[in-house]
Amino acid sequence: AKTCDSIGQILKRFNPADTLFRVEADGEITLYPKILDFLAERVAQDGYRIEVLTNGTRFPACLRPGLSWVIS
């Protein structure tokens, strides 16, 4: 919950119409489905454009509507 709150505070500082966010974690972000759900909600509700950087080990189960994916 604290991580989602922190991400939310960062997102609020930028206009979703002219900013693209790339989100990565210290480790594999797809291990944290609540963060992915939060990001997908921000896309759906607020119009943010968000790319998620992943190593792809949890594909396709980790996919969320509206999020873009970058696989490293």
Side-chain angles (χ1 to χ4, degrees), residues 6-22 42 46-50:
S6 294
I7 293 170
Q9 292 300 315
I10 293 167
L11 293 174
K12 287 179 188 177
R13 298 188 328 209
F14 298 91
N15 182 350
D18 62 12
T19 307
L20 170 66
F21 291 94
R22 178 174 288 170
R42 299 289 59 82
D46 304 323
Y48 286 102
R49 294 175 300 147
I50 300 174

Side-chain angles (χ1 to χ4, degrees), residues 5 7 11 21 23-24 26 28 31 34 36 41-42 50 53 55 63-64:
D5 288 341
I7 293 170
L11 293 174
F21 291 94
V23 180
E24 60 183 286
D26 186 16
E28 177 52 34
L31 297 175
K34 289 183 181 184
L36 298 176
E41 288 172 10
R42 299 289 59 82
I50 300 174
L53 180 63
N55 63 21
L63 296 176
R64 300 293 190 278

Side-chain angles (χ1 to χ4, degrees), residues 28 30-33 54-63:
E28 177 52 34
T30 61
L31 297 175
Y32 307 98
T54 177
N55 63 21
T57 59
R58 297 255 170 149
F59 265 52
C62 66
L63 296 176

